[in-house]
Amino acid sequence: MMESNCKESDIKIHQPDVHRVFDMANVIENAPQPSTKDCTLYMFRGIKIIGYLSTDKYKILYYLWSIIVNFFVTLYMPVGFLTSFILRLDTYTASGFFTALQIWVNCIGCSLKMLAFFFLYKRLLASTEYMDKLDVRVTATSDKWQIRKIVALSNRALTLYATLYLSYASSTFWSAVIKGKPPYQVYNPLFEWSGNTRNFAFHAAIEYALICFHCLQQALLDSYPIVYITILRTHLNILSRRISSLGNDSTMNNCQRYEALVQCVLDHKNIMGLYNIFSPVISGTMFVQFLIIGIILGITTLHIFLYADALAVVASLFYVASILAETFPCSFLANSLVDDSAALSHAIFHSAWHNEEPRYKQMLCFFLQHSQKTMQLTAMKIFPITLNSNINVVKFAFSVYTMMKQMGFGANLTSGLGIES
């Protein structure tokens, strides 16, 4: 829906062989050396598919495609699900009511994250400029190998998320169709699917297409933090190794070591520039994600302890595990990023600087001072994105459950809505 001056050709240097579509998701030794921005290759392709990054040709058709996809998937799907949910409220058991409510909240969360991503994703396009600057300094064979590995890892992350979500959508679709019902029964104001085989098939096909695009959106939102944090960590580690060996490099004279130190300072400046440009994107989407997780965990806890039978408990626990898995990789990598940021300061301090000339020591002190800024990712600057945040969300859900149980929420809900327990 938004045009950008950054074209797909600007964010890659290696076009995979048409016979091997997933080349960039694998480490291939004989392939041309990839650049850091190749980590975002599949991600930007996914952004183009969902209608955010226009093509060079047929722009009018692309804008039409963008409007259709984002209207029906991002905007209408949560509304249609809620409408169907309300219209069929008297048909739910208490356990079915909570299950449907969990899915609707998660659907709302994905749409809210996509709206936040829509206003911020251009920052990701601009970040490739810093990646190009950092690649200029990647000359050692071991460093090039690190770049090759993270390119494969980053593109593999999106592929894995998309495969898992689409597999879930497909299995849900076929299990529902076999039972003679559309998979999600999203409200359709145009025709009634029950009692008509053709309308049923058409309705089910539409829902399956919508949920597939929804899964692609969710995969993009869950994988892009992994991509960018991995890029940051890799270049921080490369810089730490470079500064650690700088003072012990006997092939350089004093002037050359000083110039190399200045280049390290510039590398750190580019790393901080990359961090500053993409951290607001993660901040917005992860805030919504943690908020949605808190709500879903509260609903699921009520479901498990008040109404669920043994099978429903198992299904709910798997659902909770999948929801927490959406934030765990990002939280783990964000924790690791803090450690890597601190490790850079230690590498600077413990480098062999004692016998260097005064200007080298002065520059080193300047570098050490600026490296003290910890790369801590936060959710809307309210709380840090860490593994402890996941634990605190779970604690919050149990606190909500305890409060609602003391208020008699379960009995009031059952009698108020007239649903069966």
Side-chain angles (χ1 to χ4, degrees):
M1 294 179 69
M2 296 179 64
E3 183 178 3
S4 172
N5 293 327
C6 183
K7 301 179 177 61
E8 184 182 4
S9 59
D10 296 332
I11 60 171
K12 61 177 182 173
I13 61 171
H14 171 52
Q15 177 65 30
D17 192 322
V18 294
H19 300 293
R20 295 176 61 89
V21 178
F22 298 108
D23 271 4
M24 298 303 286
N26 296 280
V27 179
I28 304 176
E29 296 185 13
N30 297 327
Q33 175 64 31
S35 63
T36 300
K37 62 186 177 184
D38 282 326
C39 293
T40 64
L41 180 60
Y42 289 8
M43 184 191 72
F44 282 119
R45 286 179 178 175
I47 293 175
K48 182 174 290 187
I49 292 174
I50 65 174
Y52 278 16
L53 184 59
S54 68
T55 56
D56 296 331
K57 298 180 179 179
Y58 312 113
K59 289 190 176 182
I60 295 179
L61 292 177
Y62 183 83
Y63 291 148
L64 180 61
W65 163 263
S66 177
I67 292 172
I68 292 173
V69 169
N70 286 281
F71 174 78
F72 284 103
V73 179
T74 306
L75 300 179
Y76 177 73
M77 193 171 175
V79 176
F81 195 98
L82 177 62
T83 304
S84 177
F85 178 68
I86 295 174
L87 292 177
R88 295 185 293 112
L89 191 60
D90 56 348
T91 66
Y92 284 111
T93 62
S95 181
F97 170 82
F98 279 102
T99 300
L101 186 60
Q102 292 168 4
I103 298 174
W104 176 71
V105 171
N106 196 28
C107 186
I108 283 288
C110 182
S111 294
L112 291 176
K113 287 190 292 181
M114 282 306 301
L115 291 175
F117 188 75
F118 173 77
F119 291 105
L120 296 170
Y121 85 97
K122 276 195 170 183
R123 300 178 70 94
L124 302 183
L125 296 172
S127 67
T128 57
E129 176 185 353
Y130 291 99
M131 298 179 195
D132 290 335
K133 293 178 180 178
L134 290 169
D135 280 341
V136 173
R137 297 272 291 154
V138 179
T139 56
T141 302
S142 60
D143 296 344
K144 290 182 178 180
W145 182 248
Q146 285 295 111
I147 298 300
R148 193 181 292 275
K149 288 198 297 184
I150 66 166
V151 167
L153 173 65
S154 300
N155 289 307
R156 193 179 299 164
L158 175 57
T159 304
L160 178 61
Y161 271 113
T163 301
L164 289 175
Y165 294 162
L166 289 173
S167 297
Y168 170 77
S170 299
S171 61
T172 304
F173 170 77
W174 286 113
S175 62
V177 168
I178 291 173
K179 295 178 182 178
K181 295 182 180 180
Y184 300 97
Q185 301 186 46
V186 177
Y187 177 69
N188 186 345
L190 300 179
F191 56 84
E192 176 60 38
W193 59 267
S194 58
N196 188 304
T197 304
R198 185 177 62 180
N199 286 352
F200 169 75
F202 191 55
H203 183 95
I206 292 176
E207 283 197 359
Y208 182 65
L210 292 178
I211 198 62
C212 283
F213 278 102
H214 175 82
C215 288
L216 179 57
Q217 288 182 343
Q218 190 69 54
L220 284 169
L221 292 169
D222 291 342
S223 62
Y224 89 86
I226 296 175
V227 172
Y228 278 86
I229 298 176
T230 299
I231 290 173
L232 267 184
R233 292 191 62 211
T234 300
H235 280 285
L236 272 174
N237 289 331
I238 290 175
L239 181 57
S240 294
R241 289 197 301 269
R242 188 179 297 143
I243 193 66
S244 296
S245 61
L246 185 59
N248 298 319
D249 193 343
S250 58
T251 62
M252 295 183 180
N253 56 37
N254 289 341
C255 291
Q256 289 173 329
R257 278 197 292 270
Y258 175 78
E259 292 300 325
L261 178 62
V262 171
Q263 289 300 319
C264 288
V265 174
L266 294 177
D267 289 340
H268 183 256
K269 180 181 179 181
N270 289 325
I271 290 174
M272 292 303 299
L274 179 60
Y275 164 79
N276 290 329
I277 203 170
F278 89 87
S279 57
V281 189
I282 291 181
S283 177
T285 57
M286 288 302 292
F287 174 77
V288 177
Q289 183 65 49
F290 276 111
L291 177 63
I292 293 301
I293 284 178
I295 296 174
I296 290 178
L297 286 179
I299 295 172
T300 305
T301 305
L302 288 171
H303 182 200
I304 290 175
F305 287 102
L306 297 181
Y307 299 109
D309 55 21
L311 291 177
V313 169
V314 173
S316 296
L317 291 176
F318 274 109
Y319 183 73
V320 168
S322 65
I323 291 297
L324 290 175
E326 293 183 9
T327 57
F328 176 79
C330 178
S331 300
F332 174 79
L333 291 174
N335 259 24
S336 301
L337 180 62
V338 174
D339 296 336
D340 293 337
S341 179
L344 176 63
S345 298
H346 296 157
I348 296 171
F349 181 78
H350 291 289
S351 62
W353 51 269
H354 307 83
N355 297 323
E356 297 295 334
E357 57 185 356
R359 64 170 183 169
Y360 184 98
K361 295 178 181 178
Q362 185 178 5
M363 178 61 69
L364 193 76
C365 291
F366 171 82
F367 192 9
L368 183 61
Q369 180 182 3
H370 282 268
S371 67
Q372 297 300 307
K373 182 180 179 182
T374 303
M375 295 185 185
Q376 176 70 71
L377 296 170
T378 62
M380 298 297 290
K381 297 183 179 180
I382 298 176
F383 56 88
I385 300 174
T386 62
L387 291 176
N388 285 334
S389 300
N390 285 343
I391 298 174
N392 290 333
V393 168
V394 176
K395 290 181 179 178
F396 172 75
F398 278 101
S399 298
V400 171
Y401 161 73
T402 302
M403 180 182 66
M404 289 186 172
K405 185 177 181 181
Q406 292 175 350
M407 295 171 59
F409 178 80
N412 294 334
L413 178 67
T414 302
S415 60
L417 297 178
I419 55 181
E420 301 177 2
S421 59

